[in-house]
Amino acid sequence: MSPRRRTIGLLIALAAVALLTLPWAVFTSRADLTFGPHEAQYRITADSRLTVDFGPLGTLLVPAEDYIPLGLGLHVDIGEIPVSGEDRDDDRPAADPDRVDDGGSGETGGGAVDALGGDVASYAALFSAPQAQVDQVVAGLLQEILIRWALAVCLITGGLVGLAAVLGPQRLETVVRAVAGKELIGITVVVALVLAGLGTVVAQRPKPIAPDPAFDGTPLAGSQVTGRLGGIIDTAFAAVKDFADDNDAFYDRVLTTLRSQWNQRPITGNWNDRGMVPPAGIGGQDDDSNDGVSTFVFGSDIHCNIGMARVVGAVTEMSGADAYIDGGDITMTGTSAENYCLDVLDDELPEKLPRMMVKGNHDSMETTGHAKTRGWKVLEDSSAEMAGVTFFGAADPRRTVFGSGPQLETDLTADQYAKRLAEEACDADFDIMLIHDAAVGAPSLRTGCVDYALSGHWHRRVGPETFGSGVRYLSSTTGGALANALTPGPLKMNAELSIIRVDNATKRPIDVQIITVTPDQKVIIDPWARFPAPLPLAAQPPEDEAGE
């Protein structure tokens, strides 16, 4: 047999195997993701509908012709709402006496009522920002399909190669000669088998959906509910829709106010740490006069408030920021379902903008692991450079969950971790420390090894002020996270976001501008506040007078 025929035969075999195994890979793949607050498993069907299976309660059937091509559909098996953690960390750093009374953990709620309210907010997020969920499902299923398809092709092709080796050259040539010249017949048989399989799937398509009038005029228009779920859908859906509508309307007005006030914001300030003042209009992304500074938008404790995520994105874009940095607590409890909170924030930020975070006590290792897959730099006892400035930080050792308080995610208590962090800071080369809880970063500032530290967690603003021999700045909650109240939705307390300018020559923070959003939808843009200079180590006050 000629090499040309051997090559043609191999290519035909590979094409046949790939063609036959693709439908199998598509319709047998499963992706374990989330749906609102629930764990959920997704699989592709051929019924042109989205089927959300709530088990004994019934199913939600949504027409999918407009957004799923080729007559395909999607089946979602809804699982439980993940909750974890029973242990408490009784050895936390002492809370600041002036700090918001949240148990020292930034707790934003607790108990069954708050948890159910959080579930409503999670469902409402699907209406307010569905693209993050869509992207997650597409990426998850595509990965599973490609893995299964590649595995099937490799196994079957490998089996054919192994069979050829067992038969030997002479027997293999006899078999090839027997089918030589019959490639067209083989291709026809393969295509017929594929079409027959697809035809069988199409023939088994279920009955058309009977639309439920409760969904008229909503994004779920044309949908149907079956089983006992139909008896409560009107009330439940109305609650979710009202929440989503109120949330969207609130932040639409906030963004309108923000944009109208942006050009009138205070723009004077110390352009660098030598005291130069920029002319009017400086501060835009396209202004060449910015070369001496790097601009960072700094947020913390957003606690899954996807409405404020829109504000973060708008401020980051309008300020021409070089990067976004987050002081932690992007989620409320750090479950896998709350990866959605980070996805929404990530989608709202300008595309390709560098972004960095440090884990807060309301986040988890799951949260930071997911952030890495989205391209975030995560500080975990490590340093990283953003816009020419080197940051050093570490994850909060605690994890706080609804109804069970903080638990440890490391072998060290927060006090022990703070001491170890101070030792690591003295061995590291960096410009600014980023740490979630200022109490954890306090020993590092006292050592003289840290000049500047950014934090959150206390849900109130502190500084910029000297502390120890360094300077600390604590951002208030960017999500407006009031203690013992549901964070997502219209604000219940002021939410704050910071714009920080850093001198590129000295790598020192110059000044900060605070943007405050109030529950009555006002936007306040403060004048620039200057960062003080660090103190000589000998000049720092005694520990009991340091103001902690």
Side-chain angles (χ1 to χ4, degrees):
M1 182 175 59
S2 67
R4 181 173 177 275
R5 276 193 167 276
R6 188 182 296 117
T7 302
I8 292 175
L10 178 61
L11 292 176
I12 291 176
L14 285 173
V17 170
L19 192 60
L20 285 171
T21 54
L22 179 57
W24 173 83
V26 169
F27 292 110
T28 62
S29 293
R30 303 287 187 271
D32 293 320
L33 303 168
T34 61
F35 183 88
H38 296 268
E39 294 177 340
Q41 185 180 82
Y42 291 77
R43 58 185 173 88
I44 294 177
T45 61
D47 56 8
S48 294
R49 63 179 60 178
L50 168 64
T51 303
V52 184
D53 190 347
F54 289 91
L57 289 177
T59 58
L60 171 66
L61 307 176
V62 184
E65 294 92 343
D66 294 337
Y67 52 90
I68 302 181
L70 305 176
L72 299 176
L74 193 64
H75 191 282
V76 187
D77 289 308
I78 300 299
E80 63 182 11
I81 299 175
V83 177
S84 61
E86 295 295 337
D87 299 332
R88 295 179 180 270
D89 174 18
D90 296 324
D91 299 318
R92 302 192 304 273
D96 189 289
D98 296 325
R99 177 179 175 177
V100 173
D101 183 16
D102 60 1
S105 66
E107 187 72 56
T108 58
V113 174
D114 285 328
L116 289 174
D119 298 343
V120 171
S122 296
Y123 283 121
L126 295 178
F127 291 88
S128 298
Q131 192 58 46
Q133 184 82 27
V134 172
D135 293 343
Q136 185 187 66
V137 173
V138 170
L141 280 173
L142 184 60
Q143 180 181 359
E144 290 296 320
I145 290 171
L146 292 177
I147 290 174
R148 282 176 173 263
W149 193 21
L151 184 61
V153 171
C154 290
L155 287 177
I156 295 176
T157 304
L160 293 176
V161 172
L163 179 62
V166 171
L167 291 175
Q170 293 183 346
R171 292 180 180 177
L172 180 61
E173 185 173 354
T174 301
V175 173
V176 172
R177 289 183 180 279
V179 298
K182 300 176 182 176
E183 292 90 347
L184 183 60
I185 296 176
I187 293 173
T188 302
V189 171
V190 170
V191 172
L193 289 173
V194 172
L195 292 177
L198 293 176
T200 301
V201 172
V202 172
Q204 295 176 349
R205 290 163 70 92
K207 296 179 180 179
I209 295 175
D212 189 324
F215 297 121
D216 290 345
T218 74
L220 294 180
S223 301
Q224 176 187 1
V225 178
T226 66
R228 293 186 177 182
L229 190 62
I232 61 173
I233 192 60
D234 291 353
T235 301
F237 183 75
V240 172
K241 184 177 182 299
D242 289 346
F243 187 100
D245 290 346
D246 291 345
N247 187 69
D248 290 345
F250 181 93
Y251 290 102
D252 284 345
R253 288 191 288 270
V254 167
L255 288 170
T256 299
T257 302
L258 172 66
R259 293 189 175 101
S260 67
Q261 294 183 196
W262 185 256
N263 291 332
Q264 286 76 45
R265 72 194 185 283
I267 60 172
T268 57
N270 295 288
W271 190 238
N272 59 36
D273 64 4
R274 291 175 295 281
M276 296 175 63
V277 179
I282 295 298
Q285 186 174 20
D286 297 327
D287 199 309
D288 294 336
S289 301
N290 287 12
D291 293 343
V293 300
S294 291
T295 302
F296 298 90
V297 171
F298 175 44
S300 186
D301 300 86
I302 196 169
H303 287 289
C304 204
N305 189 334
I306 62 172
M308 279 304 299
R310 297 171 59 191
V311 177
V312 173
V315 170
T316 305
E317 182 176 6
M318 291 189 297
S319 66
D322 297 293
Y324 172 75
I325 51 179
D326 196 286
D329 280 2
I330 291 177
T331 70
M332 292 185 289
T333 57
T335 60
S336 59
E338 292 175 89
N339 288 340
Y340 181 84
C341 307
L342 184 136
D343 290 343
V344 173
L345 176 59
D346 186 69
D347 289 343
E348 293 293 343
L349 293 172
E351 188 177 1
K352 297 182 180 180
L353 180 79
R355 53 208 73 189
M356 172 187 290
M357 71 167 292
V358 66
K359 174 191 170 299
N361 62 295
H362 280 270
D363 303 318
S364 67
M365 300 302 182
E366 164 71 25
T367 307
T368 54
H370 182 67
K372 293 176 186 177
T373 67
R374 300 279 297 199
W376 289 61
K377 291 184 179 179
V378 179
L379 297 180
E380 297 172 316
D381 295 317
S382 61
S383 300
E385 183 178 308
M386 299 284 282
V389 180
T390 302
F391 292 85
F392 169 79
D396 194 289
R398 299 157 296 182
R399 179 181 175 192
T400 303
V401 298
F402 278 122
S404 61
Q407 64 181 24
L408 291 178
E409 284 198 314
T410 70
D411 295 332
L412 301 177
T413 65
D415 278 327
Q416 294 168 338
Y417 198 72
K419 294 177 182 178
R420 194 185 83 177
L421 185 66
E423 297 173 357
E424 293 175 347
C426 288
D427 294 332
D429 183 16
F430 61 95
D431 304 309
I432 300 172
M433 172 180 279
L434 177 63
I435 193 76
H436 178 62
D437 186 354
V440 175
S444 300
L445 284 166
R446 293 195 185 98
T447 63
C449 298
V450 176
D451 289 335
Y452 297 93
L454 304 179
S455 304
H457 185 63
W458 290 8
H459 291 205
R460 70 177 183 89
R461 189 196 327 153
V462 176
E465 65 177 15
T466 54
F467 182 90
S469 62
V471 177
R472 69 178 183 182
Y473 173 67
L474 280 74
S475 169
S476 185
T477 164
T478 303
L482 181 66
N484 302 315
L486 185 65
T487 302
L491 293 174
K492 297 156 184 77
M493 67 173 285
N494 288 355
E496 293 187 358
L497 190 63
S498 307
I499 304 174
I500 298 175
R501 299 191 296 202
V502 178
D503 190 308
N504 287 337
T506 63
K507 309 300 182 184
R508 292 183 174 185
I510 306 165
D511 46 19
V512 58
Q513 187 170 63
I514 313 299
I515 299 174
T516 304
V517 181
T518 68
D520 56 359
Q521 302 168 38
K522 293 181 180 178
V523 177
I524 303 168
I525 306 178
D526 291 347
W528 291 92
R530 186 172 173 81
F531 274 79
L535 295 173
L537 186 59
Q540 65 173 289
E543 185 169 330
D544 59 355
E545 298 177 9
E548 183 182 352

